Every structure is written in structure tokens, then in C-alpha cells.
Amino acid sequence: CGAVFCPHVVSPVPTSYRGFETVEVTVPTDPPPSPEVRRIYDDSSVGADHDGDYRVLVDRLWPRGVKKEAAALDLWAKDAAPSAELRRWYGHDPDLFDEFARRYRAELATEPGATAVDSLARASHERHVVFLTATKDVAHSGAVVLADVVSDAR
């Protein structure tokens, strides 16, 4: 592997003055899968048992009718959400999605989005991350773009 502290190398460990014992180093398991995107209004998202998921609201505005306790969020990542200007320009028009995604990726490459992406990428190494959004058309949402960017940053 070539690294100074390669996890694949078997190294001798002294056990006494006379000899060495060989100890095999275990390779860490793969990180959890890429972030999942769900609609916060789905029954499976609000008020349910979440089995250790790291739940992140990725909308800039709080979703109507959802109580904070019921949402059971670990983080509200406002800095990772599209800017108000970009959100208004897009207007959830699927015909504009490709250009929206390009502009949103550019926003996420600058501060404060870049810091938020880095933080979410680190969290996604430790736990299964679920991005929650109030958007009706999840397939054409900023949450899907953010999930791709975070996956690429892992």
C-alpha cells in the first residue's frame, strides 16, 4: 500500500525479551452508504424510531406544520441550503433543474456552504445520514444535489 502506517501490514510486537509475536491489524469497515434523501412529511420521517440515523434538515426555511420535537433532527444545516436568491430563481421548475444544480454546486464550493459540506461528509463516515426536505419533488430538489456533493466529498 506504500503508506507509512498501512493498515494491511502485519507487524511484529515484542512480547518478551526472547521473541516477537505477530499481530494482525484489522482493516476498518466501509463507511455507511451515501446520504439518503427523504421528504420530512413522510410518515417514516417524522415521529418514528430512526435507528441511529443522523437526521439533517437541509432546507433554509422550517417546514410548515412540523414540530421540532417530532422532527427528531440532529442538525438543521441552513448553511448547506441553496441561497434565497437561487431558490426563488429556480422556483422548483424541473426544466431549470440542471442549471439550478450547477449554480447550487458553485454555492456549495464557497463559504459557508463548503464548511457545511465538509462537516456533513465527516458525519457520513460515522453514521448513516438522512437529508430531510419539505420539497414535494424530491428528485428535482437541492437535497439531491447536496447528497451528490457530500458523496463526492467523502
Side-chain angles (χ1 to χ4, degrees):
C1 136
V4 175
F5 296 104
C6 179
H8 302 86
V9 175
V10 175
S11 60
V13 176
T15 58
S16 69
Y17 292 111
R18 294 184 183 183
F20 290 87
E21 174 186 347
T22 302
V23 175
E24 198 165 324
V25 177
T26 58
V27 178
T29 59
D30 292 332
S34 295
E36 180 183 348
V37 178
R38 292 186 200 155
R39 195 158 183 259
I40 197 164
Y41 296 112
D42 290 347
D43 292 336
S44 62
S45 292
V46 177
D49 181 25
H50 303 293
D51 296 326
D53 291 342
Y54 188 71
R55 296 169 47 83
V56 182
L57 178 63
V58 294
D59 293 343
R60 191 165 296 277
L61 304 175
W62 188 263
R64 291 181 190 206
V66 176
K67 294 183 179 181
K68 290 186 181 183
E69 303 80 37
L73 297 177
D74 293 293
L75 177 67
W76 182 6
K78 294 179 198 177
D79 289 341
S83 66
E85 296 81 18
L86 180 58
R87 192 172 36 84
R88 276 189 229 107
W89 171 84
Y90 176 45
H92 300 288
D93 181 349
D95 294 334
L96 299 175
F97 181 72
D98 290 338
E99 180 61 18
F100 165 76
R102 187 191 68 73
R103 292 181 185 190
Y104 184 28
R105 285 177 184 271
E107 283 187 359
L108 291 171
T110 61
E111 293 302 331
T115 299
V117 167
D118 183 52
S119 175
L120 292 168
R122 278 185 277 125
S124 72
H125 276 286
E126 299 166 12
R127 292 168 70 185
H128 180 243
V129 174
V130 177
F131 290 158
L132 298 167
T133 181
T135 307
K136 290 179 185 175
D137 184 1
V138 173
H140 295 104
S141 70
V144 171
V145 177
L146 179 61
D148 288 342
V149 171
V150 168
S151 293
D152 291 346
R154 287 167 39 125

